[in-house]
């Protein structure tokens, strides 16, 4: 695979760098896409002939892509910081008049972070799935869809223009539809897949309109061309583009108001949930905002909207997570909340871009660990997901307990685990914004940290501690090694990833040429971080008093109005139904009425009038010559009479 390699745009400067020629691993970045695409093609086109060995191919291809990504990253470190970005043009994708769009890949500091996350964590999830899906007769097809998912996400983060990004964006949507509805014989899975697909289409309209507006204003959709031209655009145009991109991000990253699909998506196999929440789909919106930094840097209004959406969503997700008894749905609410932190950070502009990516990377480890732990439990509990029927699993599943526990400590921000290093800087940056908006955003982030401590402690206590609440038909034991080893690796990442990213400003210095360099943080402890940790400790105490010292009923009590609202996802479905579905139905019915009564009515009326008139005129044609002669005589007399009257 060949192509032209040149230095990519540094978005912070919004201008092209001096071309820096080099050859090596980065020059064939297309192989990152080729490996999972080849796996998907073999498994989906090979049919049942690949059933016995297809899962090995499904695991091998992401591992090869990860190995190639590591090699590309190592080579990237060997170049000067200003020359680490490479673009590879594969071919001219669109060549119509002035609409010139190459199919190109951009491998820079930002995209390589996502490549390593997608392929690394994705490979561990694939390995786990070998054991989890061992009894499924369609395991080969499942791995084909999983490989397709990775390929689409890699195209999304590697494309060097918004159209290539959009192609990957839609590919991710297709793959998620196939995977969420993989067990389509279950009505709930089929409905959840359709819901996710439709909800994402709403957000995708925003992204597509944003891309169209870019082309209309700048005549290009490449990152380099758009970022170079956007400073000359009016503030209104830049704000409109930013808000449309935000709408797209809300759909993919399950942010308010397009968040309701994520909880239903838990109907898919648990490895799918881990892949969606940790390494692929929900991170796409954060990538879109950070990649579009030069646009958002010029529109404080759109940037503030991003921060507000993130702050609202982190509270929504945390509150929902408090009331869910389904372990996977509790973790899904957690994902909404944690992605909200990332969106909040991205909305802070250069002061938060790096922290958004740092938390995204750390989140990939501990959230994948949590979901794989939930999958291990579900696998051993005969597909049971109700935490009220768990309890005491720490004694029979010690490896799952330890790995899940480390991920739990990481997500609530206990030092020195990863969440402490990546979440607290976001809270601190929110307060550092200053003014009323900074105070409100920071306070929301602090409250979210406290609620996170509560609902995750609740999950931990209800699942692993207390009296056993399962019946005699269930005999849980530790999962097989093919499932536990990926959990162990992810647990190690949950412990160390945050420190490796943040300490000594490693990630800040690495991403600086792409995202800009925020103010340097001095020391790990800030007043907001201390307050957040104190809130977590208080939340732990409350959760322990409610779930650690009391007997947990197998049937959930009615609960307060707040609990009822949280169980119903804070009425997200009802709101979407009222704001989107019902108006859509009414518009459809109005359109049908207008078409039937207006368009068709007018056409049918003209046809009826023409037919009726023709029928009446036809009666005048008798076929008798004497009638025609009499008509001519009468007409002639009338004409002569009229002329005489005129002359008089």
């Amino acid at each position: 695979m060949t192509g032209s390699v040149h230095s990519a745009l540094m978005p912070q400067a919004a201008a092209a760098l001096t071309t820096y020629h080099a050859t090596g691993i980065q020059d064939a970045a297309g192989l990152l896409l080729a490996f999972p695409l080849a796996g998907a093609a073999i498994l989906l086109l090979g049919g049942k002939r690949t059933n016995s060995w297809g899962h090995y191919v499904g695991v091998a291809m992401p591992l090869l892509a990860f190995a190639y990504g590591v090699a590309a990253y190592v080579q990237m470190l060997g170049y000067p910081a200003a020359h680490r970005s490479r673009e590879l043009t594969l071919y001219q994708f669109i060549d119509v008049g002035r609409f010139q769009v190459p199919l190109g890949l951009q491998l820079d500091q930002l995209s390589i972070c996502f490549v390593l996350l997608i392929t690394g964590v994705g490979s561990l999830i694939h390995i786990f799935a070998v054991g989890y899906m061992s009894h499924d007769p369609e395991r080969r097809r499942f791995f084909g869809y999983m490989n397709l998912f990775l390929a689409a996400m890699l195209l999304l983060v590697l494309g060097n223009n918004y159209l290539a990004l959009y192609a990957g964006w839609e590919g991710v949507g297709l793959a998620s539809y196939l995977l969420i509805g993989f067990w389509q014989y279950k009505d709930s899975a089929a409905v959840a897949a359709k819901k996710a697909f439709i909800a994402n289409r709403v957000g995708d309209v925003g992204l597509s309109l944003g891309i169209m507006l870019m082309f209309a204003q700048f005549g290009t959709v490449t990152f380099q061309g758009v970022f170079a031209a956007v400073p000359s655009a009016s503030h209104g145009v830049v704000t409109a583009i930013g808000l449309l991109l935000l709408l797209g991000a809300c759909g993919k990253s399950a942010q308010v108001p397009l968040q309701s699909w994520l909880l239903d998506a838990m109907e898919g196999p648990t490895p799918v949930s881990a892949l969606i929440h940790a390494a692929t789909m929900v991170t796409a919106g954060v990538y879109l905002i950070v990649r579009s930094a030069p646009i958002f840097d010029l529109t404080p209004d759109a940037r503030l909207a991003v921060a507000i959406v993130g702050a609202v969503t982190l509270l929504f997700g945390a509150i929902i997570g408090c009331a869910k008894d389904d372990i996977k749905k509790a973790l899904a609410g957690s994902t909404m909340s944690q992605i909200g932190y990332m969106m909040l950070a991205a909305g802070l502009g250069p002061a938060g871009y790096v922290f958004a990516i740092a938390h995204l990377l750390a989140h990939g480890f501990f959230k994948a660990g949590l979901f794989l732990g939930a999958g291990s439990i579900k696998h051993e509990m005969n597909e049971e997901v109700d935490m009220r029927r768990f309890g005491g699993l720490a004694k029979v599943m010690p490896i799952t307990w330890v790995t899940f526990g480390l991920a739990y400590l990481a997500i609530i921000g206990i030092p020195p685990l990863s969440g402490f290093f990546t979440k607290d800087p976001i809270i601190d940056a929110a307060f550092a914004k200053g003014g009323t908006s900074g105070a409100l955003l920071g306070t929301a982030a602090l409250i979210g940290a406290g609620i996170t401590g509560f609902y995750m402690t609740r999950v931990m206590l209800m699942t692993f501690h207390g009296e056993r609440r399962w019946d005699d038909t269930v005999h849980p034991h530790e999962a097989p090694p093919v499932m536990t080893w990926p959990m162990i690796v992810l647990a190690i990442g949950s412990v160390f990833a945050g420190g490796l990213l943040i300490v000594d400003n490693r990630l800040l210095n690495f991403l600086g040429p792409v995202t800009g360099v925020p103010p340097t943080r001095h020391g790990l402890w800030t007043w907001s971080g201390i307050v957040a940790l104190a809130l977590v400790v208080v939340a732990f105490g409350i959760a322990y008093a409610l779930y650690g010292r009391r007997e947990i009923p197998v049937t959930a009590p009615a609960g307060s109005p707040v609990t009822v609202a949280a169980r119903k996802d804070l009425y997200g479905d009802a709101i979407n139904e009222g704001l989107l579905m019902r108006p859509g139905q009414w518009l459809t019915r109005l359109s049908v009425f207008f078409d039937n009564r207006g368009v068709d009515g007018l056409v049918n009326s003209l046809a009826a009038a023409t037919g009726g008139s023709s029928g009446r005129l036809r009666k005048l044609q008798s076929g008798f010559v004497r009638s025609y002669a009499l008509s001519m005589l009468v007409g002639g007399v009338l004409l002569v009479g009229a002329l005489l009257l005129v002359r008089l």
Side-chain angles (χ1 to χ4, degrees), residues 455-473:
Y455 72 75
M456 285 306 305
T457 302
R458 175 179 180 269
V459 169
M460 196 73 187
L461 293 174
M462 291 181 69
T463 302
F464 292 101
H465 299 277
E467 297 296 325
R468 300 179 179 183
R469 299 183 296 277
W470 64 79
D471 56 41
D472 294 336
T473 62

Side-chain angles (χ1 to χ4, degrees), residues 377-463:
I377 295 166
K378 183 180 178 183
H379 186 266
E380 299 303 324
M381 293 291 289
N382 294 344
E383 302 300 305
E384 181 62 69
V385 293
D386 189 346
M387 294 185 292
R388 293 185 178 276
R389 300 182 183 276
F390 293 164
L393 289 177
K395 296 179 180 179
V396 295
M397 303 182 70
I399 297 177
T400 301
W401 173 60
V402 171
T403 56
F404 194 99
L406 290 173
Y408 150 72
L409 294 174
I411 194 173
I412 66 176
I414 299 298
L417 282 80
S418 58
F420 167 77
F421 291 102
T422 59
K423 187 191 296 182
D424 288 355
I426 296 175
I427 302 173
D428 187 49
F431 279 110
K433 177 180 174 62
T436 304
S437 61
L440 292 175
L441 295 173
T443 301
L446 276 178
I447 295 173
I451 301 176
T452 301
F454 174 82
Y455 72 75
M456 285 306 305
T457 302
R458 175 179 180 269
V459 169
M460 196 73 187
L461 293 174
M462 291 181 69
T463 302

Side-chain angles (χ1 to χ4, degrees), residues 215-536:
F215 177 72
Q217 291 292 318
F218 312 131
T220 180
V221 295
T222 64
F223 295 148
Q224 201 169 26
V226 170
F227 298 158
V230 73
S232 62
S234 67
H235 177 73
V237 168
V238 178
T239 300
I241 292 174
L243 293 176
L244 289 170
L245 296 180
L246 172 59
L247 179 58
C250 286
K252 277 291 181 287
S253 292
Q255 300 292 284
V256 173
L258 300 177
Q259 81 286 357
S260 62
W261 67 267
L262 190 64
L263 294 153
D264 294 284
M266 297 303 97
E267 291 294 335
T270 302
V272 176
S273 304
L275 197 62
I276 289 176
H277 288 250
T280 55
M281 189 165 176
V282 296
T283 65
V286 181
Y287 171 80
L288 176 64
I289 301 298
V290 176
R291 174 59 77 187
S292 304
I295 295 174
F296 285 95
D297 287 345
L298 295 175
T299 170
D301 296 333
R303 199 165 62 241
L304 179 61
V306 173
I308 292 173
V309 165
V312 172
T313 306
L314 73 87
L315 292 175
F316 260 58
I319 293 171
I320 289 171
C322 292
K324 294 296 182 182
D325 293 329
D326 183 324
I327 186 172
K328 290 179 64 178
K329 290 192 175 183
L331 296 178
S334 169
T335 298
M336 285 171 51
S337 183
Q338 298 304 307
I339 299 295
Y341 274 102
M342 300 170 206
M343 295 291 283
L344 168 59
L348 299 175
Y353 293 137
V354 171
F355 300 135
I357 300 302
H359 194 54
L360 184 150
L361 296 175
H363 177 265
F365 285 99
F366 57 69
K367 185 50 61 70
L370 290 170
F371 266 108
L372 294 192
S376 175
I377 295 166
K378 183 180 178 183
H379 186 266
E380 299 303 324
M381 293 291 289
N382 294 344
E383 302 300 305
E384 181 62 69
V385 293
D386 189 346
M387 294 185 292
R388 293 185 178 276
R389 300 182 183 276
F390 293 164
L393 289 177
K395 296 179 180 179
V396 295
M397 303 182 70
I399 297 177
T400 301
W401 173 60
V402 171
T403 56
F404 194 99
L406 290 173
Y408 150 72
L409 294 174
I411 194 173
I412 66 176
I414 299 298
L417 282 80
S418 58
F420 167 77
F421 291 102
T422 59
K423 187 191 296 182
D424 288 355
I426 296 175
I427 302 173
D428 187 49
F431 279 110
K433 177 180 174 62
T436 304
S437 61
L440 292 175
L441 295 173
T443 301
L446 276 178
I447 295 173
I451 301 176
T452 301
F454 174 82
Y455 72 75
M456 285 306 305
T457 302
R458 175 179 180 269
V459 169
M460 196 73 187
L461 293 174
M462 291 181 69
T463 302
F464 292 101
H465 299 277
E467 297 296 325
R468 300 179 179 183
R469 299 183 296 277
W470 64 79
D471 56 41
D472 294 336
T473 62
V474 181
H475 304 283
H477 52 80
E478 193 57 80
V482 72
M483 296 171 66
T484 55
W485 274 109
M487 293 158 55
I488 292 171
V489 174
L490 290 169
I492 295 172
S494 299
V495 175
F496 297 108
L500 293 175
L501 292 169
I502 295 297
V503 174
D504 295 331
N505 298 315
R506 291 186 182 93
L507 188 65
L508 184 150
N509 295 328
F510 181 71
L511 287 177
V514 179
T515 62
V517 180
T520 303
R521 299 181 77 240
H522 300 286
L524 297 177
W525 294 98
T526 61
W527 72 266
S528 59
I530 295 172
V531 173
L533 186 59
L535 289 174
V536 168

Side-chain angles (χ1 to χ4, degrees), residues 593-613:
F593 177 82
F594 177 74
D595 183 61
N596 289 337
R597 301 294 185 181
V599 178
D600 288 350
L602 177 62
V603 172
N604 293 337
S605 297
L606 290 175
T610 302
S613 301

